[in-house]
Amino acid sequence: MTTEPSKAPPLYPKTHLLAASGIAALLSLALLVFPSSDVEAKKTTLSLELESPAEQLTQDQDAADAVQATNEPVQSPFAQIENSTDDTQQTAQAAPAPVVEEKKNPSHKEVVVAKGDTLSTLFQKVGLSSTLASEILASDKQAKQFTRLKRGQKLEFELDSDGQLTQLHSKISDLDSISLSKNAKGYAFSRTTAKPTVRSAYVHGVINSSLSQSAARAGLSHSLTMDMASVFGYDVDFAQDIRQGDEFDVIYEQKVVNGKAVGIGPILSARFTNRGKTYTAVRYTNKQGNSSYYTADGNSMRKAFIRTPVDFARISSRFSMGRKHPILNKIRAHKGVDYAAPRGTPIKAAGDGKVLLAGRRGGYGNTVVIQHGNSYQTLYGHMQGFAKGVKTGGSVKQGQVIGYIGTTGLSTGPHLHYEFQVNGVHVDPLGQKLPMADPIARNERTRFLQQSQPLMARMDQEKATMLASSKR
Ligand SMILES: [Zn+2]
């Protein structure tokens, strides 16, 4: 019931990362691009053990005391592309010190925003008057975007031979730049968004300790690891089935600007070998534009229920008709499964359904009960709290976060008590055969195979190439 998640010893697995740029022969396949409508990708932020430095780097990106000091891909969903420009911005590392630098060109000056800076202090630092700063701000309504300064942001000034400001330019994100250019009337504002190149990347990993650690070492981001767990979540129980030696291959989409990864697209295909059994998944967007994951031969990955409502938790107590209750200290049936996980870990709805209860229920504490169709009901107890929008009488989607791990009610430590009922009878959720969803439509089968076969072939080739090169 209670218990802290056990910390695995720091093992160093033979994991491998191969960037898509690697093998020329595979480049033709590397350019496979799918529309990036976000259908199945469930972006939950699980509180995993964030022990790897790679994970921490992406967490700390806000610190911003170094501009573009990291090549870690940006986790945030990818911004809209308004117009394409050839972004000639240098991705050179900016000096963190707020010192004015005179670059090769004498009429070019740049300054890095430090704590407490305003546009007028920055103007003063490059020898321009703060009056000019206010004039510029008044000259175009959108110019005030230059007042939303972030520490570490670089401002570039172009001056003419008389020392007059002709252009002010700043890169505000990996993709966006803003500028003000002098014209006859004053200064005109413009904003440009670079169009990223889309390519696909391959990653292979072997599980040596936990999935999250092994994935991070293989170079798979936190969010893609979550996505992979969601994709295989119907077949693989990530809470109890993962074993040392399990393997995965993932091909995912990457958005790149100036050689720098600025966005991670969806997983295009993946393979997960769990205890010797291999599962495949291919993302397919049908003619109606809906994307979903299928096995390589076209069966849906989706089923009516996901295996476990909490990813990366540990089963602390199983379904049983008679066990000693840890608090009541007498023999009582345990009509559910307990998943121990840190407080605040998200809990997902096992399937689509109607919320019969989102509230307190005696010894269960904060509880959600969901009705799925006519025959099935699931119950989630001891929650710390409910997710936003989850309330009695409402409805939820499969995989939607409904609440967070806690220890409310009769409970000795943070865990989820999960029950599954079929026609009013409690059954062991771990023993259930899960109802299946529909396979690829017959009239889309050819198109599906045209997309899935090259992806499967590429995973074979990449893996073979990689294993060969690691033996050398
Ligand atoms: Zn329980």
Side-chain angles (χ1 to χ4, degrees), residues 33-341:
V33 170
F34 289 87
S36 50
S37 64
D38 198 11
V39 174
E40 288 283 88
K42 295 167 201 124
K43 297 270 191 262
T44 52
T45 35
L46 292 187
S47 48
L48 292 184
E49 335 86 280
L50 289 176
E51 281 149 332
S52 83
E55 293 284 348
Q56 245 124 43
L57 246 182
T58 56
Q59 299 284 311
D60 287 342
Q61 272 188 342
D62 268 350
D65 33 16
V67 173
Q68 297 160 5
T70 166
N71 277 328
E72 283 295 303
V74 172
Q75 299 264 353
S76 63
F78 188 56
Q80 281 263 298
I81 299 152
E82 284 142 24
N83 58 41
S84 62
T85 56
D86 44 346
D87 186 355
T88 49
Q89 273 285 118
Q90 291 296 306
T91 27
Q93 319 272 320
V99 188
V100 180
E101 300 168 50
E102 296 279 348
K103 286 268 160 117
K104 329 123 219 163
N105 187 343
S107 63
H108 176 94
K109 290 184 178 182
E110 47 188 64
V111 65
V112 174
V113 178
K115 199 179 171 190
D117 269 332
T118 63
L119 195 63
S120 61
T121 64
L122 294 166
F123 268 58
Q124 285 163 2
K125 282 179 184 173
V126 295
L128 293 167
S129 73
S130 48
T131 325
L132 179 63
S134 349
E135 271 173 44
I136 282 179
L137 288 179
S139 70
D140 191 309
K141 240 197 271 174
Q142 292 189 285
K144 66 172 179 291
Q145 292 192 31
F146 271 97
T147 60
R148 291 179 212 132
L149 298 165
K150 277 186 282 187
R151 234 206 293 182
Q153 183 181 343
K154 185 160 67 169
L155 259 60
E156 298 178 70
F157 298 80
E158 307 300 334
L159 308 170
D160 65 15
S161 46
D162 303 329
Q164 296 290 305
L165 182 67
T166 53
Q167 201 196 45
L168 174 60
H169 182 88
S170 186
K171 195 167 169 164
I172 55 171
S173 71
D174 286 325
L175 294 178
D176 298 292
S177 316
I178 50 177
S179 26
L180 278 164
S181 307
K182 194 174 167 76
N183 60 18
K185 283 183 257 164
Y187 289 87
F189 178 87
S190 64
R191 181 181 177 124
T192 54
T193 305
K195 189 188 167 96
T197 319
V198 179
R199 66 182 189 194
S200 60
Y202 171 81
V203 96
H204 171 75
V206 179
I207 293 173
N208 229 339
S209 46
S210 72
L211 172 67
S212 50
Q213 284 178 5
S214 304
R217 284 201 188 105
L220 200 63
S221 75
H222 181 74
S223 70
L224 283 176
T225 307
M226 296 291 123
D227 291 350
M228 180 172 74
S230 291
V231 167
F232 292 109
Y234 300 93
D235 296 305
V236 178
D237 184 336
F238 284 90
Q240 61 168 0
D241 287 349
I242 299 304
R243 293 290 180 277
Q244 190 167 5
D246 282 358
E247 284 183 71
F248 55 89
D249 303 84
V250 178
I251 293 178
Y252 62 95
E253 211 172 79
Q254 213 176 36
K255 279 129 193 157
V256 179
V257 172
N258 291 330
K260 187 187 173 193
V262 294
I264 301 172
I267 289 176
L268 301 178
S269 67
R271 198 156 48 183
F272 197 96
T273 303
N274 175 232
R275 299 197 276 181
K277 190 171 185 329
T278 298
Y279 301 89
T280 54
V282 177
R283 181 182 169 91
Y284 177 71
T285 303
N286 67 12
K287 290 169 183 168
Q288 285 79 51
N290 299 317
S291 303
S292 193
Y293 287 94
Y294 296 88
T295 61
D297 51 4
N299 286 315
S300 180
M301 302 294 290
R302 254 182 85 91
K303 297 182 177 72
F305 297 98
I306 51 178
R307 280 265 166 224
T308 33
V310 193
D311 287 327
F312 310 109
R314 191 177 55 75
I315 291 177
S316 53
S317 181
R318 292 174 178 273
F319 186 90
S320 108
M321 293 315 285
R323 67 150 193 186
K324 199 174 206 182
H325 191 279
I327 290 180
L328 303 175
N329 212 15
K330 45 189 172 197
I331 304 293
R332 281 219 344 203
H334 185 236
K335 294 178 171 178
V337 172
D338 290 341
Y339 291 96

Side-chain angles (χ1 to χ4, degrees), residues 1 317 323 334 336-338 382 415-418:
M1 293 253 328
S317 181
R323 67 150 193 186
H334 185 236
V337 172
D338 290 341
H382 308 309
H415 77 286
L416 167 70
H417 172 86
Y418 176 54

